[in-house]
Amino acid sequence: MASLWGGRFEKEMDELVKQFNASIGFDKRMYSEDIDGSIAHVTMLAAQGIVTEEEKEQIVRGLEKIREKIYNGDIVFNVDDEDIHMGIESRLIEEIGETGKKLHTARSRNDQCQVDGRLYLKKEIRQILHRLFYLESVILKKAEKYADSITVGFTHMQHAQPITLGFVFMAYFQMFRRDISRLIDTYERMDFCPLGSCALAGTTLPIDRHKTAELLGFSAPTENAMDSVSDRDYSLEFLSDASISMMHLSRWAEEFVWWNSQEFSYIAIDDSYCTGSSIMPQKKNPDMAELLRGKVGRVYGDLMQLLTVMKGTPLAYNKDFQEDKESLFDAIDTWKASIQIFANMLDKTEFRMDQIEKQFSKGFLNATDIAEHFAKQGIPFRQAHSIVGQMVKTCEHRGCDFEDLTDEELQAIDPRVTRESLGDIGIKACVDARVSYGGTAPSEVRRQIKEGTEWLESLSDWK
Ligand code: ARG
């Protein structure tokens, strides 16, 4: 089959070259966006008097028929189609004849693939936002449920201070909140229509790019044709957003693996989110959490792939750019599935407070609280820190807790300290008192939940 661009060629393409050159295998995903772009384009051409109303009607009807046929699987593309743009254009010419040949007036595949890509990504971003909103709503629900539940806070994977579980949930809430805001930024920055940039330099035909932009739901046309056909920043931004968000999912997935281990036993992941072993009958493995931790690797790879493709490309279009799609699609699919799996797994996970409580006696979780208590009594914090450090040393020698220290032992460390001066150093009192803005106290976590809920509701335009 002669290609649509075959006029100046004397020989057919080599078979291997055809296969190597074709993007139809993957860009057919964007068929519906390609048709939307063509319909907007021909509508503008008719409004500008470049094609007649009847020609436009015929082309639009032909394109809608092709959309339906592709949807129903009645059109099977192959490497002769080269890419989705020519695949659809040649089907249109088959369908409606000569008039179909007018569609490609004042456009190029260079701007066409860009309008498809942007339309497709905008649609997917909205879907990913929905999933992130769902994840955030699950987090808020759990944070409320566990707002008063105390757990161990770690630094360096060592017992640090007592915190509430609701506080842990709200920490992750903030990460995904930033992911959402990054994604909205990306969407708004990419919301410009490249169609009509043509090959690289615009056109001599009297087109109206503002009209096409409006018809396709973009905020405005892009400013510079040469940049428009060469720009893949929006994909790179999306891949960066995806990488950062996958990293967040992976960090929490890592915590799930630990929490689910026999050593921790903080949670028991729901059976429906675990798998067994083919040899060890007793095994119930946290595979989904591990797989999520692993999936981030592919998304980082997708980002590095496209950054590398772009780094040596001069203006304007280069065929290298065709390599922008598979990594983007892979990241979209992976991120979308990962959010969904994680949100559902989280929803089904309950915490084993009896197991968590067993850890409170280890690691002097209330040490900082005692030092702060001394500081409130006028002892300079640096001294208070040293006093509690010596209390820890004494306890470790004796194998006991702060509560077990005698007045004599305390006075030997510092004459200002008695058992009574320690005040209430119970784990609950410690947590309840951490009311500083952004702190872990249940009252403060509830404020964070309220603020987070209001923020989520303020995004209703994106829902
Ligand atoms: N399949 C191409 C791509 O995805 C479309 C643009 C091709 N343009 C060209 N002049 N070869 O990048």
Side-chain angles (χ1 to χ4, degrees):
M1 187 178 89
S3 182
L4 290 175
W5 43 251
R8 58 101 67 224
F9 284 80
E10 289 179 3
K11 289 187 188 168
E12 278 281 300
M13 253 174 140
D14 182 274
E15 261 320 304
L16 210 55
V17 172
K18 251 189 210 173
Q19 286 179 23
F20 194 66
N21 182 54
S23 55
I24 187 69
F26 45 88
D27 63 16
K28 63 183 176 203
R29 248 194 208 230
M30 309 189 297
Y31 79 89
S32 204
E33 287 72 25
D34 194 80
I35 290 173
D36 289 341
S38 291
I39 290 176
H41 183 66
V42 76
T43 304
M44 178 278 290
L45 292 179
Q48 296 299 102
I50 301 170
V51 300
T52 65
E53 271 303 310
E54 297 87 89
E55 286 168 337
K56 175 201 114 184
E57 293 298 326
Q58 217 185 334
I59 289 174
V60 171
R61 268 199 307 277
L63 286 168
E64 288 298 4
K65 196 175 279 176
I66 290 166
R67 191 195 318 255
E68 202 181 310
K69 282 189 184 170
I70 300 174
Y71 182 80
N72 292 330
D74 295 336
I75 290 179
V76 182
F77 293 110
N78 61 60
V79 287
D80 285 320
D81 290 302
E82 192 173 318
D83 56 29
I84 190 61
H85 325 299
M86 293 206 300
I88 290 175
E89 194 185 337
S90 55
R91 293 306 187 298
L92 179 72
I93 296 167
E94 272 168 38
E95 189 78 39
I96 67 169
E98 286 299 298
T99 309
K101 295 183 181 171
K102 294 205 167 178
L103 173 62
H104 208 56
T105 313
R107 75 172 190 190
S108 152
R109 282 182 295 156
N110 297 356
D111 55 347
Q112 205 183 341
C113 69
Q114 283 311 285
V115 84
D116 292 9
R118 286 181 190 234
L119 287 171
Y120 184 81
L121 189 54
K122 277 176 64 183
K123 179 187 79 184
E124 292 291 347
I125 286 179
R126 284 194 173 270
Q127 293 190 13
I128 293 167
L129 282 173
H130 281 152
R131 284 172 165 74
L132 287 170
F133 295 155
Y134 171 65
L135 172 60
E136 292 286 59
S137 69
V138 173
I139 294 175
L140 286 171
K141 187 175 77 179
K142 292 281 180 188
E144 184 62 55
K145 174 163 182 184
Y146 292 107
D148 300 288
S149 310
I150 298 173
T151 186
V152 176
F154 294 86
T155 61
H156 312 271
M157 262 333 272
Q158 301 286 310
H159 280 203
Q161 292 174 354
I163 54 173
T164 52
L165 261 177
F167 182 63
V168 177
F169 279 103
M170 290 313 289
Y172 281 104
F173 181 89
Q174 299 303 331
M175 294 184 220
F176 297 114
R177 174 179 184 160
R178 291 191 294 274
D179 294 343
I180 288 171
S181 106
R182 256 187 294 273
L183 202 47
I184 290 176
D185 278 357
T186 300
Y187 186 101
E188 286 174 346
R189 207 168 6 261
M190 70 177 282
D191 193 17
F192 297 91
C193 183
L195 199 56
S197 296
C198 302
L200 75 163
T203 175
T204 58
L205 289 150
I207 59 169
D208 180 356
R209 291 192 56 213
H210 292 273
K211 171 101 181 151
T212 5
E214 193 193 318
L215 288 171
L216 288 169
F218 286 101
S219 64
T222 52
E223 278 298 320
N224 177 291
M226 202 175 201
D227 173 53
S228 310
V229 293
S230 317
D231 167 36
R232 300 295 183 273
D233 288 3
Y234 65 93
S235 299
L236 289 168
E237 277 193 39
F238 174 85
L239 291 168
S240 313
D241 301 344
S243 296
I244 295 172
S245 182
M246 285 298 295
M247 174 272 289
H248 291 151
L249 286 171
S250 176
R251 290 181 72 184
W252 209 352
E254 164 75 358
E255 299 222 64
F256 262 64
V257 173
W258 287 52
W259 289 345
N260 191 64
S261 70
Q262 279 81 10
E263 274 66 23
F264 270 74
S265 300
Y266 279 17
I267 56 173
I269 300 178
D270 196 75
D271 271 9
S272 58
Y273 276 73
C274 293
T275 67
S277 156
S278 61
I279 175 170
M280 296 171 281
Q282 86 284 14
K283 289 301 288 288
K284 179 180 143 183
N285 298 323
D287 291 42
M288 291 315 104
E290 292 168 55
L291 204 46
L292 282 162
R293 203 175 50 187
K295 292 275 183 200
V296 66
R298 345 170 29 118
V299 177
Y300 288 180
D302 293 331
L303 170 63
M304 287 319 297
Q305 182 266 350
L306 188 56
L307 280 170
T308 312
V309 164
M310 295 308 293
K311 72 177 270 296
T313 50
L315 289 176
Y317 180 84
N318 304 274
K319 189 72 169 194
D320 317 37
F321 297 162
Q322 181 166 289
E323 289 292 312
D324 67 348
K325 288 176 226 1
E326 285 162 290
S327 49
L328 184 68
F329 296 158
D330 182 69
I332 290 171
D333 295 345
T334 308
W335 191 12
K336 247 162 101 173
S338 300
I339 302 165
Q340 196 70 47
I341 289 278
F342 191 83
N344 291 347
M345 182 169 75
L346 187 65
D347 200 19
K348 284 171 183 279
T349 302
E350 298 305 333
F351 283 77
R352 302 173 63 183
M353 300 317 302
D354 55 326
Q355 293 295 329
I356 296 177
E357 278 161 25
K358 286 184 190 161
Q359 307 304 322
F360 294 168
S361 56
K362 301 173 195 163
F364 305 99
L365 282 170
N366 47 2
T368 317
D369 302 85
I370 300 173
E372 287 187 357
H373 189 64
F374 290 159
K376 280 183 233 162
Q377 291 165 19
I379 301 177
F381 185 77
R382 206 29 80 215
Q383 272 182 21
H385 185 287
S386 167
I387 295 169
V388 181
Q390 292 172 69
M391 286 166 61
V392 169
K393 197 162 37 174
T394 310
C395 286
E396 280 192 331
H397 283 314
R398 265 188 54 197
C400 70
D401 286 329
F402 292 138
E403 287 86 347
D404 306 316
L405 294 175
T406 62
D407 272 333
E408 293 83 75
E409 281 168 318
L410 290 169
Q411 301 265 281
I413 293 169
D414 191 289
R416 286 168 291 187
V417 182
T418 60
R419 279 182 59 93
E420 205 177 327
S421 74
L422 291 183
D424 185 354
I425 54 168
I427 223 92
K428 185 170 165 0
C430 295
V431 169
D432 284 347
R434 293 200 173 265
V435 290
S436 56
Y437 196 84
T440 192
S443 60
E444 178 50 28
V445 168
R446 291 209 162 82
R447 185 200 60 76
Q448 293 173 32
I449 295 172
K450 183 167 174 289
E451 193 274 341
T453 307
E454 283 164 10
W455 166 76
L456 204 54
E457 281 164 4
S458 77
L459 297 175
S460 54
D461 281 359
W462 293 92
K463 288 185 179 140

